């Protein structure tokens, strides 16, 4: 299936946005606060300087004998002595107006108030913007006047522009560093996820025979390693299910060869095949189909974590009675040694399948005796979910030691004269493996074969 990129933002983009957008908003808010604070500070400093000049001007004011205001500057010149210096003052009374020498013969318009009400705005004779203050002064408690003191607005704007330039350059550098740091952090932080994605892609693209095609492995860090382990467990489970399905198909095809071959041989020998023979083989085929269909249905999913407890003694007793009914001519001595309190937490049909195959083999080969026992392995307890060992021994001819390793292979038979398909032991091994168990074959103390199934309790 072709990979179609999502229209939504990817994880990298979302992390970058979540990291950068708040940083940009906070930086802009901080820059605005700093800019406002610096601007207020600079205008406050200008107002303070204007008030200092106003104090000095007020100190040089006096009244003439005629009651008129007059300004008596000191001997040294100041900023108000230079024509159009940018520093001006104006004294107004109802019938008099005094101006600084810096205005020469010009005059100023009526001032306007700024938004904060702290400073006034105006323009000088050269149309340069001014900022000033207004103060009411009085001499001898009778004569009052309004004093206006102005300075060029550039006094503040030059410093404010310089500070703003430094401030926004610093904020821009901070944002750039933040963006680079966030990008590196996201790239480094998502590197294990990228590695996991690459291995998943390689897992999908490579052949199933390569090691990468079955496991993701670990090495992604403490956060992603549990996920990789779970994915590996799922892949392994699916691989076992596929392998088991293929094995069931192979088992069924192999099992069908015997009845089909017999029907084919009878059809080639005579024009008409006896009906009882056809019915016998059809029943055999039908039994094989039902048996494998039930196994396939049971293997559709691996053992669930919670299963009913199956009483081993009850299952074993029923199977032994069935074997005695199927092989009445053998007259075997069946020994069952299983505690009635011993239970296995699993699927009853799987247990019957495993024990049925082993007991059927034992009943075919035993001379006189078949022994079936089950026990908890030493050191185990039901509370700890230990191991249960189910052992079936017979006193038959057994299997040569060099043939034991081949006995569990599908279709492997060492005696062609005995009826069978050679699939029983392989079926038992497959089902035991599904339940994380094992099947071990060895020589029996009775002289025949011993088969032991070990399953989690």
């Amino acid at each position: 299936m072709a990979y179609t990129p999502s229209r939504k933002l990817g994880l990298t983009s979302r992390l970058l946005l979540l990291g950068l957008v708040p940083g940009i908003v906070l930086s802009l808010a901080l820059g605005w606060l700093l800019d406002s604070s610096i601007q207020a500070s600079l205008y406050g400093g200008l107002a303070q300087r204007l008030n200092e000049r106003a104090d000095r001007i007020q100190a040089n004011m006096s009244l003439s004998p005629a009651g008129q205001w007059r300004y008596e500057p000191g001997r040294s010149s100041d900023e108000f002595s230079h024509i159009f210096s940018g520093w001006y003052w104006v004294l107004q009374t109802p019938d008099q107006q005094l101006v600084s020498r810096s205005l020469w013969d010009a005059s100023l318009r009526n001032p306007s108030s700024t938004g904060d009400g702290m400073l006034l705005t105006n323009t000088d004779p050269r149309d340069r913007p001014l900022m000033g203050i207004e103060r009411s002064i009085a001499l001898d408690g009778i004569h009052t006047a309004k004093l206006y003191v102005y300075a060029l607005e550039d006094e503040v704007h030059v410093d404010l522009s310089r500070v703003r330039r430094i401030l926004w350059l610093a904020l821009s550098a901070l944002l750039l560093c933040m963006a680079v740091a966030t990008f590196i952090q996201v790239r480094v932080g998502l590197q294990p996820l990228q590695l996991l994605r690459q291995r998943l892609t390689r897992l999908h693209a490579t052949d199933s025979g390569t090691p990468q095609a079955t496991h993701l492995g670990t090495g992604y860090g403490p956060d992603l390693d549990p996920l990789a382990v779970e994915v590996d467990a799922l892949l392994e489970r699916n691989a076992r299910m596929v392998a088991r399905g293929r094995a069931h198909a192979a088992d069924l095809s192999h099992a069908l060869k015997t009845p089909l071959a017999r029907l084919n041989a009878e059809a080639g020998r005579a024009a008409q095949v006896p009906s009882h023979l056809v019915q016998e083989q059809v029943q055999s085929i039908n039994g094989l189909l039902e048996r494998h269909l039930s196994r396939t249905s049971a293997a559709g999913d691996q053992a669930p974590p919670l299963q009913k407890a199956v009483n081993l003694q009850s299952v074993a007793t029923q199977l032994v009675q069935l074997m005695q009914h199927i092989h009445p001519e053998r007259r075997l001595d069946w020994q069952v040694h299983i505690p009635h309190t011993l239970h296995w937490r699993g699927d009853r049909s799987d247990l019957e399948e495993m024990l049925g195959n082993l007991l059927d083999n034992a009943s075919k080969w035993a001379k006189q005796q078949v022994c079936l026992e089950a026990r908890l392995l030493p050191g185990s307890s039901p509370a700890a979910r230990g191991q249960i060992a189910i052992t079936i021994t017979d006193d038959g001819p057994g299997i040569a030691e060099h043939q034991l390793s081949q006995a569990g292979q599908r279709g492997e038979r060492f005696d062609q004269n005995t009826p069978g398909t050679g699939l029983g032991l392989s079926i038992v091994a497959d089902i035991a493996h599904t339940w994380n168990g094992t099947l071990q074959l060895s020589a029996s103390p009775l002289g025949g074969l011993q088969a032991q199934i070990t399953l989690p309790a």
Side-chain angles (χ1 to χ4, degrees):
M1 182 176 64
Y3 172 74
T4 303
S6 175
R7 294 182 180 180
K8 297 181 180 180
L9 291 176
L11 183 58
T12 303
S13 302
R14 281 181 284 178
L15 290 177
L16 287 174
L17 288 177
L18 289 175
L20 290 178
V21 171
I24 293 173
V25 173
L26 289 177
S27 298
L28 292 177
L30 178 62
W32 179 79
L33 290 175
L34 289 175
D35 183 270
S36 300
S37 177
I38 292 171
Q39 182 176 350
S41 177
L42 290 176
Y43 281 119
L46 176 61
Q48 183 178 359
R49 293 196 300 273
L50 290 172
N51 279 294
E52 290 174 355
R53 266 65 169 186
D55 291 339
R56 191 176 64 192
I57 294 170
Q58 182 177 354
N60 291 329
M61 288 293 178
S62 63
L63 292 173
S64 66
Q68 296 292 313
W69 290 79
R70 63 184 178 184
Y71 177 70
E72 297 177 353
R75 293 181 180 180
S76 60
S77 61
D78 56 13
E79 59 268 27
F80 297 102
S81 302
H82 304 288
I83 299 174
F84 303 132
S85 63
W87 287 87
Y88 310 101
W89 60 264
V90 177
L91 181 74
Q92 286 186 344
T93 64
D95 54 357
Q96 185 183 4
Q97 182 180 33
L98 295 178
V99 298
S100 63
R101 180 175 176 79
S102 56
L103 278 174
W104 197 238
D105 292 330
S107 61
L108 298 176
R109 293 175 294 182
N110 291 329
S112 301
S113 177
T114 58
D116 55 10
M118 183 175 61
L119 294 173
L120 304 175
T121 60
N122 209 331
T123 56
D124 71 352
R126 293 184 176 180
D127 289 332
R128 293 178 297 179
L130 301 174
M131 303 200 76
I133 61 170
E134 176 186 354
R135 174 187 292 188
S136 296
I137 61 175
L139 291 177
D140 65 20
I142 299 175
H143 297 81
T144 60
K146 286 187 176 181
L147 177 63
Y148 298 92
V149 183
Y150 297 97
L152 288 175
E153 194 176 358
D154 289 344
E155 291 281 335
V156 175
H157 280 183
V158 171
D159 293 338
L160 183 60
S161 298
R162 183 176 66 254
V163 173
R164 279 177 172 172
R165 185 166 55 251
I166 296 174
L167 172 64
W168 292 110
L169 283 176
L171 288 177
S172 299
L174 177 63
L175 286 175
L176 180 61
C177 293
M178 185 186 303
V180 173
T182 303
F183 180 78
I184 294 176
Q185 182 179 2
V186 170
R187 294 291 293 181
V188 173
L190 294 181
Q191 192 171 10
L193 198 58
Q194 294 291 339
L195 177 61
L196 181 61
R197 179 183 177 183
Q198 291 174 3
R199 291 189 182 179
L200 280 172
T201 303
R202 194 180 307 124
L203 181 70
H204 180 72
T206 53
D207 296 330
S208 58
T210 60
Q212 297 90 342
T214 57
H215 292 87
L216 290 174
T218 55
Y220 309 101
D223 296 320
L224 292 180
D225 275 348
L227 175 62
V229 171
E230 291 296 330
V231 172
D232 282 343
L234 178 62
L235 292 173
E236 184 178 355
R237 171 181 172 275
N238 290 340
R240 286 201 302 266
M241 290 176 62
V242 172
R244 188 173 180 182
R246 292 175 177 173
H248 288 172
D251 293 346
L252 180 59
S253 64
H254 195 279
L256 290 175
K257 287 182 179 179
T258 300
L260 292 177
R262 186 170 181 182
L263 287 175
N264 184 56
E266 291 294 335
R269 186 180 306 151
Q272 293 184 349
V273 180
S275 60
H276 69 88
L277 181 60
V278 174
Q279 290 179 353
E280 178 183 345
Q281 299 307 314
V282 168
Q283 290 177 358
S284 175
I285 293 174
N286 186 54
L288 287 171
L289 290 174
E290 290 181 354
R291 183 179 183 182
H292 282 80
L293 283 175
S294 64
R295 285 182 58 208
T296 304
S297 177
D301 195 0
Q302 208 172 8
L306 295 177
Q307 289 283 346
K308 293 182 179 180
V310 181
N311 187 279
L312 268 71
Q313 187 185 68
S314 173
V315 174
T317 301
Q318 293 178 7
L319 289 175
V320 168
Q321 292 175 354
L322 178 62
M323 294 299 138
Q324 291 174 337
H325 179 74
I326 294 176
H327 305 287
E329 73 283 355
R330 301 303 311 278
R331 300 184 180 276
L332 298 174
D333 179 19
W334 294 88
Q335 300 289 329
V336 179
H337 303 288
I338 300 177
H340 69 277
T341 58
L342 187 58
H343 291 75
W344 175 62
R345 191 171 294 277
D347 187 77
R348 183 184 182 94
S349 62
D350 279 354
L351 181 63
E352 292 175 345
E353 181 83 8
M354 290 186 289
L355 295 183
N357 276 288
L358 295 179
L359 291 175
D360 185 58
N361 283 342
S363 65
K364 291 177 182 178
W365 296 102
K367 297 177 181 177
Q368 295 180 347
Q369 185 179 10
V370 177
C371 181
L372 170 60
E373 65 177 9
R375 59 188 175 86
L376 278 174
L377 294 180
S380 301
S381 65
R385 189 95 193 263
Q387 300 285 320
I388 291 179
I390 305 173
T391 307
I392 299 175
T393 57
D394 63 67
D395 60 352
I399 300 177
E401 185 175 354
H402 68 277
Q403 295 176 329
L404 287 175
S405 60
Q406 304 174 9
Q409 298 178 5
R410 285 185 175 81
E412 190 66 42
R413 300 177 60 195
F414 304 112
D415 188 349
Q416 303 297 327
N417 296 321
T418 303
T421 62
L423 299 174
L425 293 178
S426 65
I427 292 174
V428 174
D430 287 343
I431 298 177
H433 180 69
T434 300
W435 291 95
N436 296 321
T438 58
L439 171 65
Q440 294 180 343
L441 302 177
S442 60
S444 167
L446 301 178
L449 178 67
Q450 174 175 290
Q452 179 173 294
I453 305 173
T454 304
L455 296 170

